[in-house]
Amino acid sequence: MPATRQVSQWYSPVCATSSTKRGVDVQMSNKTDILVVGGGGREHAIIRALKRSPRLGKIYCAPGNGGISADAQCFPVGATDIEGMTELAKKLAVDCVFVAPDDPLALGMVDALNACGIRAFGPNKDAAIIESSKAFSKDLMKKYGIPTAAYELFTDMQEALRYIAAYEKFPVVVKADGLALGKGVIIAQTREEAEEAVRSMMEDHVFGKSGERIVIEQFLTGPEVSVLAFTDGETVCPMVSSMDHKAVYDGNKGPNTGGMGTISPNPFYTDEIAQQCMEEIFLPTIKAMKAENRPFKGCLYFGLMLTPDGPKVIEYNCRFGDPETQVVLPRLKTDFIDIIDAIIDGKLGELELQWSDDACACVVMASGGYPGSYCKGIEINGLDENGQVEGAYVFHAGTRLEDGKYLTNGGRVLGVTASGATLDEAIDTAYEAVKRITFNGEQHRSDIGRAWKRD
Ligand code: AMP
Ligand code: GLY
């Protein structure tokens, strides 16, 4: 059972330079005030990681959520409201805005903030396209020889249907080009399912404009690995690996969700594979983006599949993953604000990142019905008692605070997370903490970290 394997770490040689952290000496007396954009479990984990930095001054979040409001002052500005967010950042006179979700990045929030002279963490619009257009990312990989599934791009439905009619080996994967709340990927088991997927995207427009262009690609097999990487456009520093559990039910059954739980490290991601990914995927991607005049600064998420032919890119995300962040950032030992500054200033190569050897597991507690329709406003019990489980902590994903009570306010409600010396220990502790929290209709997977394969 690989779960008890000791945490292995691998540091990119390009970020393993010797100099001390920039800015620490200079800025020791100057605290950094930060506004975090977003309002889910990922943002809560980011805020908790920022709060470990002695350099942090004031911490704000917009829009935030019930649980986040205990850690940061929240403001009711929507995550995609670029004008509103820029105004808020000016009013608060923050030193930096951390743009966490994909939508505002794709809309150019970082560009807008920079245009007002405000420092911001995250890629600009030109670089965020690596997530917001699958056509772009697939063509980038083809052009620069980065391993990925073979594919064809279509803007014409009849052509796509003709391609499916002639396709020989099913399943096949049909993907909407644009952002689709994580639902734009259909794994079609048969020709009929593939035709239906094409029609739903290009005729019925179930994903709106995101489905006007589609990618049809080869179905790959193998364990999936999420690797988040810090990059300033030149240097890339992969973080410790993680594994998401996308299907809603145990045994990887049921529809895909935003993610029902995560573990870090990923037991399949050996040092050898990490080395191979660095050479064949991570550095080539950073170089490719630079060569395309779209240097990527921020956190680049590599969704990988370890196929029998080697690691291949399933998807890029232009941001921290959710719920990967919840198990990766608790393991970060280097000052997070030093890293943010180094990325914004193009000096990541001067930092040497340190990670804890502890493993981490996150179990998502979701509303009944998720990822379909679900009720909101249900009282959550047991959050206070949870503090009694040593090594566990709760990130709020979809909650609101009303009259001193936490109520459900989203599909994914809580990310109950724990650290431990081994993965088994972290997983056990997380489930121990889950037992103490209840709300009507609550659902969670009981096999996080223990269901290795899709079927
Ligand atoms: P994505 O939204 O691109 O992360 O895709 C969602 C999930 O669909 C991935 O985590 C994989 O499990 C699966 N998937 C996407 N592309 C492929 C592929 N080419 N072959 C097999 N599974 C895939
Ligand atoms: N957990 C997958 C994602 O953040 O897209």
Side-chain angles (χ1 to χ4, degrees):
M1 167 78 173
T4 50
R5 179 174 168 269
Q6 274 303 303
V7 176
S8 80
Q9 293 177 326
W10 185 77
Y11 304 117
S12 133
V14 278
C15 58
T17 50
S18 57
S19 78
T20 49
K21 299 144 222 62
R22 91 154 266 294
V24 174
D25 301 334
V26 185
Q27 300 188 14
M28 210 54 173
S29 57
N30 296 341
K31 298 281 188 185
T32 304
D33 295 348
I34 301 184
L35 166 63
V36 175
V37 176
R42 164 184 55 205
E43 286 74 17
H44 201 183
I46 288 168
I47 287 165
R48 289 268 181 86
L50 289 169
K51 288 183 87 169
R52 298 205 307 270
S53 167
R55 293 185 51 204
L56 183 69
K58 297 198 180 80
I59 178 89
Y60 306 105
C61 187
N65 66 38
I68 290 178
S69 67
D71 280 304
Q73 190 181 349
C74 294
F75 294 86
V77 176
T80 53
D81 178 356
I82 294 187
E83 213 174 303
M85 205 60 76
T86 311
E87 284 311 308
L88 180 65
K90 280 191 207 160
K91 200 177 96 192
L92 297 171
V94 291
D95 299 297
C96 179
V97 179
F98 191 121
V99 186
D102 48 0
D103 290 327
L105 291 167
L107 289 168
M109 187 176 278
V110 168
D111 310 58
L113 289 161
N114 288 165
C116 299
I118 302 167
R119 280 164 76 81
F121 177 86
N124 58 27
K125 185 177 179 175
D126 280 352
I129 194 173
I130 199 165
E131 172 171 3
S132 57
S133 169
K134 289 200 193 294
F136 171 85
S137 65
K138 294 298 290 190
D139 284 350
L140 185 85
M141 288 186 271
K142 188 188 263 180
K143 181 169 172 188
Y144 291 91
I146 298 164
T148 188
Y151 72 101
E152 292 292 335
L153 260 178
F154 297 93
T155 46
D156 180 89
M157 188 177 76
Q158 294 308 330
E159 264 182 48
L161 290 173
R162 276 197 294 278
Y163 182 76
I164 294 289
Y167 204 82
E168 284 175 357
K169 203 164 164 271
F170 290 86
V172 69
V173 185
V174 183
K175 297 185 173 185
D177 173 51
L179 299 175
L181 295 171
K183 294 177 186 166
V185 174
I186 295 176
I187 297 176
Q189 300 295 335
T190 62
R191 198 177 310 279
E192 291 66 39
E193 275 180 37
E195 283 168 3
E196 202 183 307
V198 169
R199 285 188 193 283
S200 73
M201 290 181 196
M202 301 186 95
E203 196 168 55
D204 304 337
H205 305 290
V206 292
F207 302 120
K209 275 190 160 313
S210 288
E212 281 178 2
R213 272 199 296 189
I214 63 164
V215 172
I216 301 182
E217 74 176 27
Q218 172 199 15
F219 177 76
L220 301 176
T221 54
E224 288 182 54
V225 183
S226 305
V227 179
L228 317 181
F230 289 116
T231 175
D232 62 0
E234 290 278 346
T235 298
V236 59
C237 295
M239 302 180 216
V240 286
S241 64
S242 56
M243 177 192 276
D244 194 6
H245 296 66
K246 288 205 167 87
V248 67
Y249 302 129
D250 281 6
N252 295 320
K253 301 247 177 6
N256 268 356
T257 66
M260 292 298 286
T262 35
I263 52 167
S264 176
N266 184 313
F268 292 100
Y269 194 69
T270 61
D271 288 356
E272 295 70 38
I273 292 173
Q275 179 78 41
Q276 192 181 355
C277 289
M278 186 55 147
E279 286 161 13
E280 296 176 8
I281 295 173
F282 305 155
L283 268 176
T285 301
I286 300 305
K287 281 188 189 156
M289 290 298 279
K290 193 180 162 200
E292 294 292 310
N293 266 327
R294 298 173 185 270
F296 190 103
K297 282 179 165 221
C299 170
L300 183 54
Y301 169 128
F302 296 88
L304 307 172
M305 193 170 269
L306 308 182
T307 76
D309 300 328
K312 296 194 179 183
V313 177
I314 290 283
E315 62 159 350
Y316 293 114
N317 290 328
C318 67
R319 49 164 176 92
F320 278 87
D322 188 346
E324 284 89 342
T325 308
Q326 288 86 319
V327 291
V328 169
L329 283 185
R331 299 183 58 201
L332 178 64
K333 292 211 290 201
T334 307
D335 189 308
F336 196 12
I337 299 178
D338 284 350
I339 300 174
I340 291 170
D341 276 343
I343 288 172
I344 294 174
D345 297 332
K347 295 183 174 175
L348 188 59
E350 295 176 19
L351 281 190
E352 189 175 346
L353 302 196
Q354 302 290 336
W355 297 92
S356 155
D357 279 339
D358 277 354
C360 216
C362 171
V363 179
V364 169
M365 300 182 76
S367 298
Y370 175 77
S373 58
Y374 51 82
C375 296
K376 292 183 183 178
I378 299 169
E379 188 176 347
I380 307 168
N381 300 301
L383 280 172
D384 294 341
E385 280 169 56
N386 185 65
Q388 293 168 13
V389 181
E390 207 185 314
Y393 30 96
V394 179
F395 296 122
H396 287 236
T399 68
R400 66 189 160 90
L401 192 57
E402 207 175 277
D403 301 328
K405 290 178 182 160
Y406 284 115
L407 308 179
T408 65
N409 198 35
R412 291 187 291 177
V413 177
L414 302 169
V416 180
T417 307
S419 301
T422 62
L423 268 175
D424 274 340
E425 198 182 306
I427 293 164
D428 287 345
T429 309
Y431 276 112
E432 200 47 48
V434 164
K435 271 194 222 155
R436 312 205 179 188
I437 302 168
T438 55
F439 52 88
N440 279 343
E442 186 275 330
Q443 56 163 340
H444 62 265
R445 279 184 58 163
S446 61
D447 62 352
I448 298 301
R450 295 183 171 132
W452 304 110
K453 288 192 162 94
R454 288 195 74 86
D455 47 16

